[in-house]
């Protein structure tokens, strides 16, 4: 049985072809269109990608990088979306590192809603020693533990972090070309504007 033949496949929008618009009922799309509340607002928007603070329980400073169009499978990204993805993830990870000062930044792809394909999104999560000590774990088990705890950051804290990220990343529209990052004297990435 192919993924398109599975019962419930289209629950979040079976169509994700080039040019497809937002799908009502898809949380990722609803956050972009304003049909669902988005604490902190849009952090960055390029021609192909949108960055927002995560609305799930993965800690303050965790952001989501998702296609601006409804895409269910990584294999369905266009050449342009794919070309922008790597540099954008590096840039977002560097900004999160600067703002949150974590021990590590996890980046992972999430794409299931209720066991069926959903709007793909990369979770960029700052992880501190405090997080690992509190939940007594790390890696995917830490994300699972945080998900089970279900604790959401305060909206005012999310707003403050998003404002700082926007200050580093620049305007929330337009495509920014990749640039070489200067790691300075701290060894941590420094965000440069075009």
């Amino acid at each position: 049985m192919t993924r398109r033949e599975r019962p419930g496949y289209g629950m979040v929008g079976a169509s994700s072809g080039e040019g497809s618009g937002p799908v009502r009922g898809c949380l990722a799309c609803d956050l972009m269109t304003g049909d669902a509340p988005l604490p902190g607002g849009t952090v960055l928007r390029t021609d192909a990608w949108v960055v927002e603070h995560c609305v799930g329980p993965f800690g303050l400073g965790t952001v989501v990088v998702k296609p601006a169009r409804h895409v269910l499978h990584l294999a369905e990204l266009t050449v342009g979306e794919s070309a922008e993805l790597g540099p954008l993830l590096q840039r977002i990870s560097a900004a999160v590192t600067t703002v949150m000062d974590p021990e590590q930044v996890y980046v992972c792809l999430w794409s299931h809603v209720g066991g069926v394909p959903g709007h793909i999104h990369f979770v960029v999560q700052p992880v501190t020693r405090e997080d690992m000590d509190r939940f007594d774990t790390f890696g995917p088990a830490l994300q699972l533990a945080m998900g089970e705890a279900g604790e959401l950051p305060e909206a005012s804290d999310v707003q403050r972090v998003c404002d700082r990220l926007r200050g580093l990343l620049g305007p929330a529209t337009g495509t920014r070309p990749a640039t070489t990052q200067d790691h300075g004297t701290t060894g941590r990435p420094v965000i440069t504007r075009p």
Side-chain angles (χ1 to χ4, degrees):
M1 181 180 303
T2 70
R3 68 175 188 257
R4 295 190 198 292
E5 296 169 332
R6 279 198 296 268
Y9 174 81
M11 292 173 67
V12 187
S15 173
S16 64
E18 187 160 356
S20 63
V23 173
R24 187 172 277 291
C26 166
L27 179 59
C29 290
D30 289 348
L31 290 166
M32 285 188 287
T33 62
D35 291 327
L38 179 61
T42 301
V43 172
L44 181 71
R45 184 177 183 107
T46 72
D47 295 334
W49 295 92
V50 176
V51 180
E52 304 162 342
H53 197 282
C54 181
V55 296
F58 299 108
L60 185 63
T62 299
V63 297
V64 169
V65 178
K66 61 189 177 186
R69 66 186 183 93
H70 189 75
V71 176
L72 301 180
H73 306 280
L74 193 62
E76 294 175 344
L77 292 177
T78 66
V79 171
E81 289 165 339
S82 298
E84 189 177 345
L85 180 58
L88 180 62
L89 286 174
Q90 185 280 329
R91 185 172 171 226
I92 299 305
S93 297
V96 166
T97 298
T98 299
V99 171
M100 301 305 297
D101 194 30
E103 182 166 307
Q104 182 61 280
V105 175
Y106 295 170
V107 177
C108 60
L109 173 68
W110 290 55
S111 61
H112 269 113
V113 176
V116 296
H119 195 136
I120 64 171
H121 55 287
F122 291 86
V123 175
V124 180
Q125 179 184 21
V127 175
T128 63
R129 173 57 52 195
E130 179 182 291
D131 295 327
M132 292 183 284
D133 290 345
R134 177 171 174 233
F135 291 99
D136 193 28
T137 191
F138 56 91
L142 175 62
Q143 289 185 327
L144 178 62
M146 293 177 89
E148 289 174 347
E151 299 169 6
L152 300 176
E154 293 292 327
S156 59
D157 293 335
V158 170
Q159 184 66 52
R160 178 182 47 79
V161 165
C162 289
D163 288 345
R164 290 190 62 205
L165 288 169
R166 277 189 288 273
L168 288 172
L169 295 166
T173 58
T175 301
R176 177 192 180 274
T179 61
T180 303
Q181 299 294 312
D182 174 14
H183 290 268
T185 58
T186 65
R188 295 252 172 148
V190 176
I191 309 304
T192 58
R193 288 194 187 176

